[in-house]
Amino acid sequence: MEGKGKLSLNAGIERSWEVLMDPKVLEKCIMGCEKLEQIEKNKYEAELAMGIAAVKGRYSSLIELADLDKPKHYKLIVKGEGGPGTVEAVGNIDLVAEDETETTLKYTYDAEVGGKVAMIGQRMLGGVAKMIIQDFFKKFKKELENTKQHT
């Protein structure tokens, strides 16, 4: 499954990058994330509980931030395993400064699933993946706006 999208952020590129790199923000933005613990620099163990269609279940996951090019780009790598099956996803996140207070976030993702969850069909999984990704960025935008108010 592949996809892409973009959104406008009401913050400069440096601020957007800072918030995007914050593990507390990642934990709040990842759907079903019950625990996110740093195990080494830019690498986390996560417990995810999904409640969507056949993706429903618990996943032990490794989340890694790679190919960092501050404040413009990083790759988000997620590998999860649980009762419903396995998931491997890679997302490329790019930030483009429009001006001092506006940044465009562009993303692409590629995800593969295995096990029982793969039997439900790519079409349905594509919709679920898109929903999870959009939920992440919707929450991220809200977190970015919330942190702006506190500074």
Side-chain angles (χ1 to χ4, degrees):
M1 290 167 288
E2 294 178 359
K4 63 181 180 175
K6 69 178 183 173
L7 69 151
S8 295
L9 305 174
N10 296 319
I13 192 168
E14 293 288 341
R15 180 106 194 97
S16 299
W17 175 267
E18 245 176 67
V19 176
L20 199 54
M21 294 295 293
D22 185 338
K24 290 182 182 107
V25 171
L26 285 176
E27 185 173 13
K28 287 180 186 177
C29 295
I30 297 169
M31 186 181 282
C33 188
E34 296 180 344
K35 178 187 98 172
L36 185 74
E37 281 183 12
Q38 188 165 0
I39 54 173
E40 54 187 82
K41 187 176 169 90
N42 299 322
K43 200 176 249 185
Y44 305 88
E45 273 184 355
E47 290 297 323
L48 309 177
M50 291 285 172
I52 305 162
V55 183
K56 198 176 225 168
R58 302 185 77 73
Y59 296 84
S60 294
S61 305
L62 267 180
I63 297 172
E64 183 178 358
L65 308 179
D67 298 345
L68 277 70
D69 181 11
K70 181 182 178 183
K72 296 181 276 189
H73 171 84
Y74 79 64
K75 187 181 285 188
L76 181 66
I77 303 165
V78 179
K79 294 178 182 179
E81 200 172 307
T86 60
V87 63
E88 275 195 42
V90 175
N92 286 292
I93 298 171
D94 292 288
L95 296 173
V96 179
E98 300 302 333
D99 60 35
E100 295 293 309
T101 61
E102 291 285 323
T103 302
T104 298
L105 183 151
K106 297 178 182 179
Y107 62 89
T108 60
Y109 64 89
D110 188 7
E112 287 183 33
V113 294
K116 287 186 269 179
V117 76
M119 292 186 271
I120 66 168
Q122 291 300 313
R123 195 170 185 172
M124 183 177 175
L125 282 175
V128 171
K130 188 175 182 177
M131 188 184 87
I132 291 169
I133 301 286
Q134 288 174 341
D135 182 73
F136 175 86
F137 288 113
K138 183 175 151 191
K139 288 177 181 173
F140 168 72
K141 189 172 181 171
K142 186 177 174 189
E143 286 297 317
L144 181 63
E145 288 167 5
N146 287 344
T147 59
K148 196 170 154 185
Q149 292 168 0
H150 296 109
T151 51

